[in-house]
Amino acid sequence: MNCEKIKEKVSIRLLLESFNLFPVKQNQKTAFYFALDREEKIPSLSVDYIKNKAFDFGTGKSYDVISIVQIINKCSVSDALKYLSRFDYAMVNDKNVQDTGQEKNYYIIQVSDVKHPALIQYLKTRKVYEQRHLVKEINYELNDKKFFGIGFLNDSGGYEIRSKYAKICLGQKEVTWIKNELNPKNEVLIFEGFFDYLSYRNIDKAENSISDYLILNSTAMLFKVKDRLKDYHKVSLFLDNDANGKVTKEIIQNNYDNVEDCSLFYSGFNDLNEWFCNFNEKL
């Protein structure tokens, strides 16, 4: 893969997080970070998540993911590419994170319990029909066309929409925290997507769990919860076994104490739901 493709495929947000760099100010599309090459009190590095580039207002220099690695590690292009190889060029591009529906002409027509036969069958195919009370059936209009799907509520009031044909977010992209007042171990379980969370709830009657749950709804949302994770004594990770999940796991392990990697439990499968579906097929 050539340098131009690498600049497009590796998420600049996740790259900065791998260096323990997080935004001081941010919105859905852009953010301000402190400069890469000097100390400052007012952040001057503007990062565009959509274009996957950064601009330093203090020096007038522009950066892509390769030059960011070069300036931080003080290395050659060749060594920067070696560093970026850990991402396997399979990062979820932040353009996908921005596909929230806010810039599209969408309208939620109805929110109800899951009743449509196609959605019931979809939940059964994903082996989580028993947890249907944790999701909703969303009927919506998008760009003047009507659709329906499984909806999972996030903390900004948006819905992660999934069906056999759709994988989008209606409303603002955000994580989903599920708090348990009786959490004596002060533990949080982190999932990448809500189908993994639903799968976990099916395992060993996990509804009796006394831990908190965090569904990222996208690993690119990790930056939003970095401070809150410090409050937990234990962090258990149920992330995907792909390059994106592995980099996110590494970031968390490097920044927090007592982190358990539970992805070893479903080693050989992309995620917990895929393992759970395969496991149940054999029963």
Side-chain angles (χ1 to χ4, degrees):
M1 185 175 291
N2 60 41
C3 291
E4 293 305 315
K5 287 294 184 182
I6 292 171
K7 294 174 185 178
E8 295 177 1
K9 293 296 182 181
V10 177
S11 166
I12 194 170
R13 189 205 302 264
L14 205 56
L15 172 63
L16 290 168
E17 286 186 5
S18 74
F19 289 111
N20 297 326
L21 299 176
F22 298 92
V24 180
K25 301 177 181 178
Q26 58 84 33
N27 58 39
Q28 283 288 315
K29 298 180 180 180
T30 60
F32 271 95
Y33 291 69
F34 288 118
L36 302 175
D37 57 354
R38 63 190 183 279
E39 293 186 6
E40 57 184 7
K41 295 182 179 180
I42 300 176
S44 63
L45 184 70
S46 175
V47 177
D48 190 317
Y49 295 137
I50 305 302
K51 295 180 179 179
N52 220 40
K53 293 182 179 180
F55 179 79
D56 189 329
F57 281 95
T59 62
K61 293 181 180 179
S62 296
Y63 296 97
D64 53 46
V65 293
I66 296 176
S67 55
I68 286 174
V69 177
Q70 283 187 272
I71 193 170
I72 294 177
N73 286 348
K74 296 180 174 59
C75 65
S76 65
V77 172
S78 177
D79 288 336
L81 294 177
K82 290 180 181 178
Y83 183 88
L84 291 167
S85 67
R86 61 162 62 182
F87 295 84
D88 199 28
Y89 314 128
M91 297 298 95
V92 176
N93 194 292
D94 275 299
K95 292 178 183 177
N96 295 331
V97 175
Q98 303 306 322
D99 186 16
T100 63
Q102 287 185 308
E103 298 179 358
K104 295 180 179 180
N105 181 21
Y106 86 92
Y107 173 72
I108 294 179
I109 301 170
Q110 184 179 34
V111 178
S112 62
D113 294 335
V114 180
K115 298 178 181 179
H116 195 287
L119 296 181
I120 290 175
Q121 181 59 36
Y122 181 62
L123 289 177
K124 288 182 177 179
T125 300
R126 302 294 295 267
K127 307 299 181 184
V128 292
Y129 178 68
E130 297 81 359
Q131 304 300 329
R132 61 191 179 278
H133 60 286
L134 299 176
V135 294
K136 291 294 184 180
E137 177 176 319
I138 309 295
N139 286 269
Y140 61 99
E141 186 175 293
L142 181 63
N143 294 334
D144 299 322
K145 294 183 180 180
K146 293 184 178 179
F147 303 92
F148 58 88
I150 299 296
F152 184 72
L153 187 66
N154 67 36
D155 286 356
S156 289
Y159 279 98
E160 298 294 324
I161 303 294
R162 300 292 182 270
S163 71
K164 186 177 180 180
Y165 307 102
K167 185 178 181 181
I168 62 172
C169 177
L170 296 180
Q172 184 175 337
K173 193 77 174 180
E174 184 57 271
V175 302
T176 302
W177 283 96
I178 299 174
K179 306 285 287 185
N180 192 324
E181 294 181 0
L182 300 176
N183 189 357
K185 294 183 179 180
N186 201 23
E187 178 183 10
V188 61
L189 280 57
I190 300 180
F191 302 88
E192 192 163 329
F194 73 84
F195 272 104
D196 296 321
Y197 164 64
L198 298 179
S199 300
Y200 181 83
R201 294 292 296 258
N202 266 345
I203 299 172
D204 293 333
K205 296 183 179 180
E207 67 271 12
N208 296 320
S209 173
I210 54 177
S211 301
D212 289 353
Y213 301 104
L214 169 62
I215 299 86
L216 293 173
N217 295 319
S218 169
T219 54
M221 293 290 101
L222 178 61
F223 78 100
K224 290 198 169 188
V225 299
K226 63 183 183 69
D227 292 330
R228 293 177 67 180
L229 290 180
K230 295 177 182 177
D231 297 333
Y232 289 95
H233 294 156
K234 182 177 181 181
V235 178
S236 297
L237 301 179
F238 291 84
L239 302 176
D240 291 2
N241 281 320
D242 58 8
N244 197 27
K246 290 175 182 177
V247 171
T248 305
K249 175 184 69 176
E250 183 178 334
I251 292 171
I252 295 174
Q253 289 175 327
N254 289 339
N255 284 277
Y256 306 96
D257 298 325
N258 197 16
V259 177
E260 182 178 1
D261 177 20
C262 300
S263 67
L264 299 174
F265 178 69
Y266 44 93
S267 177
F269 296 88
N270 183 65
D271 56 35
L272 180 61
N273 180 250
E274 183 179 285
W275 170 85
F276 188 67
C277 290
N278 184 271
F279 178 79
N280 278 273
E281 288 292 339
K282 296 180 180 179
L283 295 179

